[in-house]
Amino acid sequence: MMRRAVVFGAAGQLGVELVRELKARGYSVMSVDRAQVDITNAGKVESALAEFDAQVVFNSAAYNQVDVAEQEPQAAFQVNALAVRNLALACRQVDARLIHFSTDYVFDGTARHPYAEDDPTHPLGAYAVSKLAGELYAQAYLERPLIVRTSGVFGPGGLSTARGNFLELMLRLAGSGQPIRVVEDHFASPTYAPLLAARTIDLVEREQSGVFHVGGGSPSSWFTFAKTIFEVAGLSPMLLATNEREYRTAARRPKYSALSNAKMERVGLEPMPSLRRAVELYFESRPPLNASRA
Ligand SMILES: NC(=O)c1ccc[n+]([C@@H]2O[C@H](COP(=O)([O-])OP(=O)(O)OC[C@H]3O[C@@H](n4cnc5c(N)ncnc54)[C@H](OP(=O)(O)O)[C@@H]3O)[C@@H](O)[C@H]2O)c1
């Protein structure tokens, strides 16, 4: 079994959970954040892998600013595509496995069913194109990369990152006392980061490769996600439904990008819990609301 793991992007929402779960399973882990290694620097990536004699490399680093990417597509491409090429080439040199994360946004959202791994991709903007290119680079240089596509990630790690997560954004808005408007015509599979980390490592330990979808257990509109958050938190702010016509964003997004986990379940992995259960788990692992506001 591969016991020496490197995690790039270790300070992100998913990164912290990968490090925690790998350590809990007895791996020797090198946790690398952006200040230690910027993955766009090929030389630094190469020396980190060689120095640690890595056997399995997780890349949870990403440029995730979907709207800003429309103004600076090169920046998104550097991190989400060209840096994945750096990682793939460095993994090839030391014969390590690469585990890379991608997104539901590789799809255009015109399907009427949760997307399967072999559904045709059709990204709608600069971020999405860069993430699909990252998948292609991993596949171009490695025989058996594992690519895990996920959706709407939220985890306790978001409490300490500048970017945060949707759940913390909703809590902040509720605290402001203003009406909260959330789109009801866009659907995704909000995914709890600790379970995404656990299922990904399960796939690695089952020697799986190729593309897998690991999304949350319930396809949901962002409005329903917000409603669930407030119900579980015991808050009742004024929550109003809006839609993409009223709420314009710089980047086009797929209207329906729920992911099917059927392939993951077929290889024996435990199904993901419902959205409500995942939100409950989040609140169980997060500091109590009154403590965080103090
Ligand atoms: N978050 C979502 O809703 C979502 C949805 C679908 C797919 N995904 C995918 O899931 C994966 C994990 O996302 P996440 O939610 O954990 O994102 P996150 O919280 O934004 O973490 C990403 C991490 O990558 C770091 N990073 C950015 N550029 C870097 C660089 N050049 N070199 C090294 N590190 C760099 C960031 O550091 P800084 O904070 O310093 O920039 C941050 O710590 C990504 O592949 C993402 O595309 C996420």
Side-chain angles (χ1 to χ4, degrees):
M1 198 185 274
M2 285 173 285
R3 306 311 286 183
R4 295 176 66 76
V6 177
V7 178
F8 288 102
Q13 273 195 111
L14 175 60
V16 295
E17 304 304 340
L18 285 168
V19 171
R20 188 193 43 72
E21 183 70 20
L22 287 163
K23 286 185 175 164
R25 295 190 193 196
Y27 285 75
S28 169
V29 184
M30 180 164 148
S31 151
V32 188
D33 67 17
R34 187 187 195 146
Q36 293 159 307
V37 177
D38 183 320
I39 60 167
T40 62
N41 184 327
K44 283 208 161 179
V45 167
E46 230 175 80
S47 17
L49 296 201
E51 196 185 299
F52 190 65
D53 190 18
Q55 293 169 305
V56 57
V57 175
F58 293 82
N59 177 33
S60 58
Y63 176 110
N64 279 332
Q65 300 174 81
V66 178
D67 290 313
V68 185
E70 295 304 317
Q71 265 68 61
E72 46 177 46
Q74 297 89 339
F77 205 82
Q78 284 287 344
V79 181
N80 293 341
L82 295 174
V84 182
R85 179 175 182 271
N86 295 341
L87 288 161
L89 288 169
C91 282
R92 201 166 69 173
Q93 268 187 16
V94 297
D95 202 19
R97 287 209 62 195
L98 177 62
I99 318 302
H100 177 62
F101 293 89
S102 188
T103 173
D104 51 342
Y105 283 14
V106 297
F107 298 113
D108 63 14
T110 54
R112 287 289 164 264
H113 58 266
Y115 279 97
E117 289 77 356
D118 53 4
D119 277 324
T121 54
H122 175 205
L124 299 180
Y127 163 80
V129 167
S130 71
K131 290 295 289 183
L132 182 59
E135 293 187 11
L136 296 175
Y137 273 128
Q139 290 162 333
Y141 293 103
L142 294 166
E143 297 295 321
R144 304 176 47 244
L146 171 63
I147 294 166
V148 174
R149 292 190 189 131
T150 189
S151 167
V153 178
F154 64 101
L159 274 166
S160 55
T161 60
R163 200 168 152 264
N165 61 38
F166 182 73
L167 218 139
E168 294 302 323
L169 172 65
M170 288 300 113
L171 295 179
R172 264 199 314 282
L173 292 175
S176 76
Q178 299 296 311
I180 303 168
R181 289 188 169 74
V182 181
V183 290
E184 63 174 354
D185 59 347
H186 278 233
F187 292 75
S189 294
T191 308
Y192 185 48
L195 294 179
L196 169 60
R199 297 295 186 278
T200 301
I201 300 165
D202 290 343
L203 288 170
V204 174
E205 291 181 344
R206 283 172 163 78
E207 293 292 338
Q208 295 296 322
S209 58
V211 178
F212 276 85
H213 289 176
V214 180
S218 321
S220 166
S221 75
W222 291 94
F223 178 79
T224 301
F225 187 13
K227 196 161 163 278
T228 307
I229 292 165
F230 294 132
E231 283 168 5
V232 174
L235 298 172
S236 9
M238 193 191 293
L239 177 64
L240 305 171
T242 183
N243 55 50
E244 76 168 12
R245 225 168 1 95
E246 288 173 6
Y247 187 80
R248 297 271 176 195
T249 55
R252 283 204 298 156
R253 288 168 166 77
K255 278 192 106 156
Y256 181 92
S257 61
L259 297 174
S260 163
N261 292 339
K263 183 178 175 188
M264 171 197 98
E265 290 171 18
R266 274 200 303 277
V267 301
L269 267 62
E270 200 183 321
M272 293 290 266
S274 68
L275 178 60
R276 177 171 292 270
R277 182 66 197 129
V279 171
E280 287 168 359
L281 289 170
Y282 183 93
F283 278 106
E284 285 165 22
S285 65
R286 166 194 198 289
L289 284 181
N290 46 8
S292 65
R293 278 177 194 156

